Amino acid sequence: MGYEETGREGSVEPSSEVPAAVLENVFDDPGQGDSGRDRVGVHLVWEVLLLAGLATLGWLLWRADSDVLRGDNLRTLLVGMVGLGLLALAAGLSLRTAAPNLAVGPVAVAAALHYAEQGDQGLAASVGPAVAVAALGGLALALAVVVLHVPGWAASLAGAAGVVVYIERRSAPVLVQGDYDPGRSAGYLFAGFAAVAVLGGLFGAIRAIRRLVGRYRPVTDPARRRGVVAAVVTALALVGSTVLAALAGVLLAANGPGPVTPTPGLDWTVLAIGVALLGGTSAYGRRGGLFGTLLAVSLVTVFQAYAPARGWTVDRWTVGAVAIGVGLLVTRLVETYGRPRPGSTDNPEPIGDGAISTGWTMPRSQPVDNWPPTLPTPAAPQPVDPWRDPRWEDSPRRWDAGER
């Protein structure tokens, strides 16, 4: 089963007189011919607004209930922030590759139930099998997506249904059996999450990495294959997304004060994707912000702590729906103002094979008018005047007998 490379057999040549095969390697969107680097200014502006909203909401939470930001309550808040952050990273990673993983919520709940039942066997013995099963499930999902070349949301929704079947085998909440307390290392966990989120955003801003991660994003017919490199990267992203969701479920189960309730977990999926979109990750894939995921996770977590302090009853479905609604508006802004500037010719990268550049550069092709070249048309022969014969010259002819 071969993989097609979009744009390699295109017969339409853009106005820039660059062949379509070369455009596949130069431009991020060869169908549209966008040259140059993506603009990150729109992400920075949005992240400043997120930071302002987080500061305002934090101040309101401090005034409403300052105890939430002290002692054990603060550590619980930070661990919950890390758990939601891992889910947001899982959703954002799959969104970046244009193959959204809708199974992250059910996978998190299933991992939480497994940890709650097996936690008394030790952290490694209870978490290890959950991560291994999540990796295998993510691999099966990835193979279905890249081999059949079907939308990630559809395949992952089927996978989520299978995980929900596993969850519904339990009819009652499960009390956590382990004694692991993530609150003792809340600061380290939050610092690790923040580092991963920020470094991921910074690396994702590099054009070569952005192109590589988002290569699965369609540029013409979405049913056409995007190549072997795109398939491999998307498969790795789906496996990593599923593993991150399992780790998030374990952390949330260990952080919760009560038992783990066997719910389908789709509300966690909605919340995770909403937070990823709210942070500036495009719903179309490839484009994303720098600090947006960290700020969006912090903003949503603080709001979930602020709502009970004000006596509001807000569930995850409501918060996730609002986050997705705002995130879709952010996607429109990112896709509109994040594209390279019109007429940009910035192309610092060498032109290679489109997957792993060899460092060789390819000269621009020159237009050819006519081939083979045509010879100039000879002038029409003039009629010969018999009265201009050399025998009838006006001047006398000289004969030098000495030179004969």
Side-chain angles (χ1 to χ4, degrees):
M1 187 174 293
Y3 284 88
E4 302 145 0
E5 290 286 349
T6 303
R8 296 210 180 264
E9 66 277 24
S11 58
V12 179
E13 298 291 331
S15 59
S16 61
E17 298 177 349
V18 181
V22 178
L23 283 176
E24 173 68 15
N25 299 318
V26 176
F27 298 131
D28 293 329
D29 297 320
Q32 289 75 30
D34 286 345
S35 60
R37 297 181 181 275
D38 285 348
R39 291 175 287 177
V40 298
V42 61
H43 294 285
L44 296 178
V45 171
W46 175 246
E47 287 165 5
V48 169
L49 295 177
L50 286 177
L51 181 60
L54 176 61
T56 302
L57 199 57
W59 178 73
L60 292 176
L61 177 60
W62 176 266
R63 292 194 58 184
D65 187 3
S66 60
D67 292 337
V68 177
L69 301 177
R70 293 191 180 124
D72 293 338
N73 293 330
L74 177 59
R75 287 188 283 271
T76 302
L77 184 68
L78 290 178
V79 174
M81 193 177 296
V82 174
L84 178 59
L86 291 178
L87 276 177
L89 287 178
L93 181 60
S94 63
L95 282 172
R96 281 280 190 122
T97 57
N101 187 358
L102 302 185
V104 291
V107 168
V109 174
L113 289 170
H114 174 79
Y115 172 75
E117 294 173 345
Q118 307 295 330
D120 55 348
Q121 298 182 7
L123 188 61
S126 57
V127 176
V131 171
V133 172
L136 292 176
L139 181 59
L141 172 62
L143 291 176
V145 171
V146 302
V147 174
L148 300 178
H149 194 75
V150 295
W153 65 265
S156 62
L157 189 60
V163 178
V164 170
V165 172
Y166 167 80
I167 294 173
E168 288 182 343
R169 294 175 58 188
R170 296 158 180 81
S171 58
V174 179
L175 187 65
V176 178
Q177 303 298 319
D179 56 354
Y180 170 64
D181 182 12
R184 292 189 298 239
S185 55
Y188 296 105
L189 290 174
F190 179 77
F193 157 68
V196 171
V198 173
L199 288 177
L202 292 176
F203 278 109
I206 300 175
R207 186 184 177 202
I209 298 178
R210 183 183 290 246
R211 285 178 53 196
L212 181 64
V213 172
R215 194 174 177 84
Y216 199 74
R217 167 175 165 158
V219 292
T220 52
D221 184 359
R224 296 181 60 182
R225 300 182 185 276
R226 294 287 291 139
V228 177
V229 175
V232 172
V233 172
T234 304
L236 293 176
L238 287 174
V239 173
S241 174
T242 311
V243 170
L244 286 174
L247 292 175
V250 171
L251 197 60
L252 291 173
N255 188 53
V260 178
T261 304
T263 59
L266 292 177
D267 53 344
W268 283 108
T269 295
V270 171
L271 183 60
I273 292 181
V275 171
L277 295 176
L278 186 64
T281 302
S282 173
Y284 294 103
R286 189 167 71 79
R287 292 187 169 95
L290 304 179
F291 308 95
T293 301
L294 175 62
L295 294 173
V297 168
S298 302
L299 180 66
V300 170
T301 303
V302 172
F303 175 77
Q304 288 179 321
Y306 175 69
R310 291 297 304 269
W312 301 341
T313 302
V314 181
D315 58 3
R316 283 188 290 271
W317 286 107
T318 304
V319 179
V322 173
I324 288 179
V326 178
L328 292 178
L329 296 177
V330 176
T331 290
R332 186 67 268 156
L333 293 175
V334 165
E335 292 294 333
T336 301
Y337 299 104
R339 290 183 175 275
R341 296 183 183 277
S344 173
T345 58
D346 178 24
N347 182 33
E349 296 181 359
I351 302 174
D353 58 0
I356 302 176
S357 178
T358 58
W360 296 94
T361 58
M362 181 181 298
R364 294 174 61 91
S365 62
Q366 299 297 331
V368 179
D369 296 329
N370 294 311
W371 184 260
T374 58
L375 297 177
T377 304
Q382 300 294 331
V384 179
D385 187 0
W387 297 101
R388 295 298 297 171
D389 190 88
R391 294 175 297 175
W392 304 98
E393 291 182 354
D394 297 335
S395 58
R397 189 186 302 270
R398 293 185 59 189
W399 295 91
D400 193 347
E403 297 180 355
R404 291 179 61 89

